Amino acid sequence: MTTRDYAIQCIKDEAQAVLNLIPQLDDQFDQAVELIYHCKGKVIVTGVGKSGHIGAKIAATLSSTGTPSFFINPLDVYHGDLGVMTSDDVVIAISNSGQTDELLRFIPMVLHMRIPIIGMSGNPQSLLAKYSTCHINVSVEKEACPLNLAPTSSTTATLAMGDALAVALIEKRNFQPQDFAQFHPGGELGKRLLTTAQDVMLSENMPTMPPETHLGEAVILVSKGKLGLGVAIEDGHIAGLITDGDIRRAMEKWQAKFFDRTVSDIMTRKPKVVSPQTKITEIQRIMNRYKVHTVLVVSDDNRLLGVVDHYACMI
């Protein structure tokens, strides 16, 4: 076998290990979801070695999807970290064997505080499973490691089960994209979900004109505005919108009489408008639905504040 063949076999073995988790899902998983959902405190994830690395990722995923969580190394508990735990918390304890000594020495402390324990191991007969409030079975037939020694399939399966818990809780909490953005304000998704029209709108040198403006003059104003549009303003309020496309179609329709026509003859009298607080994700939805490339940002009394085009939404 080539090195690539070994890589392919590893991926297949790990993928199969994850798929084999499906028949192992039972009411213990449901009970775990309920415990976390009704938790009034924090979810504390713990594990040693590779299980600890997986636990840290699970804690991070839970935290970013609406479940306050953090990881504790059970070895640190003996040096003061136990003080962060309260009876309102829930513990997720991870050990592939379910017999990890450092973890088992931590369990009596948790039981003494009457904190529910969600055990996650590959051994339903283990001591961890015995002392857990509920136990999630993540056993695998074999590791992807050719020696069947290095944690590979087992860690992948545990990670997938942690994601399954997080996803189930997302659905149960009706967690929405805007909620996700609150936990990811610095990321691209968070930025897109939190950015509003007033953050990206163009508001200076707006190409505005009265509705009675002749189209010859309107062409010049639209060209100077460099937005491909002109906004008709009457008594300080928006009366309509014209675009490059409207002008081209008018030229083709009226030809020599084009210059006798006014903006009011071709303008869209009810252009798409949004408030300054409208999220750009909603603006994109409006653009896609109505096949428009620009929306006007208006005040409560329909006065022009700015323009958002599709380029402004591409942040």
Side-chain angles (χ1 to χ4, degrees):
M1 292 177 65
T2 66
T3 53
R4 189 179 300 176
D5 290 331
Y6 285 115
I8 292 171
Q9 187 58 50
C10 174
I11 293 171
K12 286 183 177 180
D13 288 344
E14 294 200 8
Q16 189 59 53
V18 172
L19 290 173
N20 288 344
L21 292 176
I22 297 175
Q24 295 172 191
L25 289 171
D26 54 20
D27 58 357
Q28 295 288 292
F29 179 87
D30 299 333
Q31 187 178 351
V33 172
E34 289 298 320
L35 278 174
I36 298 173
Y37 179 70
H38 292 290
C39 176
K40 296 179 180 179
K42 309 167 295 296
V43 173
I44 299 169
V45 187
T46 187
V48 179
K50 302 296 188 298
S51 293
H53 296 312
I54 297 301
K57 191 276 178 184
I58 292 174
T61 300
L62 289 170
S63 288
S64 68
T65 52
T67 302
S69 310
F70 63 88
F71 174 79
I72 285 183
N73 188 316
L75 299 176
D76 294 333
V77 170
Y78 306 109
H79 301 283
D81 281 3
L82 188 64
V84 303
M85 300 173 60
T86 72
S87 58
D88 289 330
D89 298 335
V90 169
V91 166
I92 298 178
I94 304 172
S95 167
N96 185 44
S97 67
Q99 302 288 127
T100 305
D101 182 62
E102 298 91 340
L103 187 63
L104 292 179
R105 284 191 283 132
F106 168 63
I107 296 301
M109 304 179 194
V110 180
L111 294 175
H112 178 71
M113 297 179 69
R114 298 185 178 180
I115 298 174
I117 300 173
I118 299 171
M120 193 180 296
S121 82
N123 183 3
Q125 307 306 318
S126 64
L127 286 174
L128 174 60
K130 178 180 178 180
Y131 289 107
S132 294
T133 309
C134 56
H135 177 261
I136 299 177
N137 184 6
V138 289
S139 61
V140 299
E141 292 182 3
K142 64 184 182 68
E143 299 288 1
C145 165
L147 302 176
N148 196 31
L149 293 174
T152 45
S153 296
S154 58
T155 50
T156 301
T158 305
L159 183 62
M161 188 62 77
D163 287 342
L165 278 174
V167 169
L169 287 160
I170 287 173
E171 290 296 328
K172 193 168 182 65
R173 296 185 195 282
N174 193 28
F175 198 74
Q176 297 298 311
Q178 56 268 28
D179 300 316
F180 189 86
Q182 297 294 333
F183 294 93
H184 298 75
E188 180 180 350
L189 177 60
K191 185 177 180 181
R192 292 176 58 80
L193 290 170
L194 295 176
T195 302
T196 63
Q198 66 183 355
D199 295 324
V200 298
M201 69 183 185
L202 302 171
S203 57
E204 296 183 0
N205 302 317
M206 290 290 97
T208 60
M209 61 203 72
E212 60 270 17
T213 304
H214 283 89
L215 292 181
E217 183 182 351
V219 169
I220 297 173
L221 294 172
V222 170
S223 179
K224 286 183 177 180
K226 298 181 180 179
L227 293 175
L229 58 82
V231 184
I233 302 294
E234 190 171 32
D235 296 329
H237 298 86
I238 297 171
L241 174 74
I242 63 170
T243 66
D244 281 338
D246 295 328
I247 292 172
R248 288 194 300 272
R249 286 185 290 271
M251 285 181 173
E252 182 179 1
K253 177 180 179 181
W254 288 311
Q255 297 184 15
K257 297 181 179 180
F258 170 81
F259 293 97
D260 297 328
R261 299 288 181 170
T262 65
V263 168
S264 62
D265 292 325
I266 67 170
M267 68 184 186
T268 299
R269 297 182 181 275
K270 292 184 178 181
K272 301 306 173 189
V273 299
V274 298
S275 73
Q277 291 74 40
T278 305
K279 302 291 192 297
I280 62 169
T281 49
E282 172 63 14
I283 294 174
Q284 287 180 313
R285 187 192 67 79
I286 293 172
M287 290 179 177
N288 291 334
R289 178 179 180 183
Y290 295 103
K291 303 296 187 293
V292 297
H293 299 286
T294 308
V295 297
L296 305 181
V297 184
V298 301
S299 62
D300 293 338
D301 58 352
N302 199 36
R303 294 180 183 273
L304 180 66
L305 300 177
V307 173
V308 176
D309 60 19
H310 68 287
Y311 293 112
C313 295
M314 297 170 63
I315 60 172

